[in-house]
Amino acid sequence: LTVQETAALLRGMDDVLLLTHVRPDGDTVGSAAALCRALRDMGKTAYLLPNSGITPTYESYAAPYWAPEGFAPAHVVSVDIAALNLLPDNAAAYGQHVGLAIDHHGSHGFFAANTCLDADAAACGEIVYDIIRRLTAVTPDIALPLYVAVSTDTGCFVYTNTTARTHRIAAATGFWRKKAPLPFSGAGPAEQCAYLPGLGAKLFVAANRLPVGATGHISTLPVPRYTFTRPSPLTAEPSSVLVERSTVS
């Protein structure tokens, strides 16, 4: 399914149960939490299936959406799950009843009745962001878990899968503007990654506002030398920067 078709399918759903994968990370938790919040904002009943493997790092993002005991879903949606063997034990009973799978893994097994797959997306959160924008407003309660999702699977925006699209979404959430606390111990993933997308998103926004040179193809952007030599407070390594001009006028 396309993003538009997926949004249309979700509009017709109610009593939705969202599944996350074993050893849940920020992408599966953040994407599912954001989508759950969006469905609730549309007046629908939606929950996440409790996942016993969740760590304290991500618990707070999922906790408001855990399904109560006895909840009987009419629809089951998997998020960031490439294959049925990645379901937690308590989700096994739903494996043959997944009506929609949203995923970004090229190895996806197509186990659901409907699949929204974008293997070019750096994180499932990128796909979920595009879906939610077609369903309802991206509120702060939606934006924060989305930010966690995209920052997790891009290694706080330094992995090579990070793209201009990733930075656009990080910028759209607004959480890159936050000042990351020091020291980082005890900070949540959103705070831990605030330093890096603050650089990437600012450069992306700046690059897209630059006047184009006489050839119509090149813009210049002065960047302080320390940007490339100062160690990141997260990794103690020099920060990497991606700048891509997405539109030329």
Side-chain angles (χ1 to χ4, degrees):
L1 299 179
T2 65
V3 165
Q4 293 86 346
E5 291 168 337
T6 302
L9 183 63
L10 286 166
R11 285 191 199 99
M13 291 185 181
D14 202 353
D15 297 319
V16 179
L17 184 66
L18 297 158
L19 308 181
T20 56
H21 60 63
V22 293
R23 298 179 296 280
D25 61 4
D27 193 19
T28 190
V29 172
S31 297
L35 183 55
C36 189
R37 181 69 264 172
L39 291 171
R40 290 187 180 188
D41 287 351
M42 297 168 66
K44 300 179 182 296
T45 299
Y47 293 103
L48 272 62
L49 182 69
N51 191 325
S52 62
I54 198 165
T55 63
T57 301
Y58 302 113
E59 171 70 30
S60 63
Y61 302 104
Y65 308 111
W66 289 140
E69 186 175 353
F71 174 66
H75 301 277
V76 179
V77 177
S78 67
V79 183
D80 193 39
I81 298 175
L84 290 177
N85 63 1
L86 296 175
L87 290 174
D89 289 343
N90 65 333
Y94 299 105
Q96 302 304 317
H97 305 286
V98 179
L100 171 64
I102 303 171
D103 193 28
H104 71 117
H105 296 98
S107 60
H108 187 84
F110 295 96
F111 52 83
N114 299 278
T115 302
C116 180
L117 175 67
D118 181 357
D120 292 326
C124 194
E126 294 186 359
I127 308 169
V128 172
Y129 170 78
D130 287 340
I131 293 170
I132 290 175
R133 286 184 60 213
R134 289 163 171 81
L135 294 174
T136 188
V138 179
T139 64
D141 285 342
I142 293 172
L144 177 56
L146 281 176
Y147 181 90
V148 171
V150 298
S151 64
T152 296
D153 266 22
T154 58
C156 290
F157 307 91
V158 298
Y159 292 166
T160 56
N161 63 341
T162 306
T163 64
R165 175 187 181 188
T166 311
H167 286 303
R168 279 196 296 269
I169 293 172
T173 68
F175 284 94
W176 59 274
R177 298 183 180 90
K178 297 179 66 175
K179 298 294 184 181
L182 293 174
F184 286 87
S185 59
E191 289 77 13
Q192 290 175 356
C193 290
Y195 168 84
L196 292 166
L199 174 63
K202 286 175 183 176
L203 287 177
F204 173 81
V205 172
N208 278 276
R209 291 177 179 170
L210 287 172
V212 180
T215 64
H217 298 287
I218 299 176
S219 296
T220 60
L221 175 67
V223 179
R225 183 181 297 274
Y226 71 77
T227 296
F228 300 96
T229 58
R230 180 181 60 183
S232 160
L234 297 180
T235 64
E237 297 291 339
S239 300
S240 62
V241 179
L242 170 69
V243 179
E244 175 181 319
R245 185 175 176 85
S246 63
T247 57
V248 176
S249 55

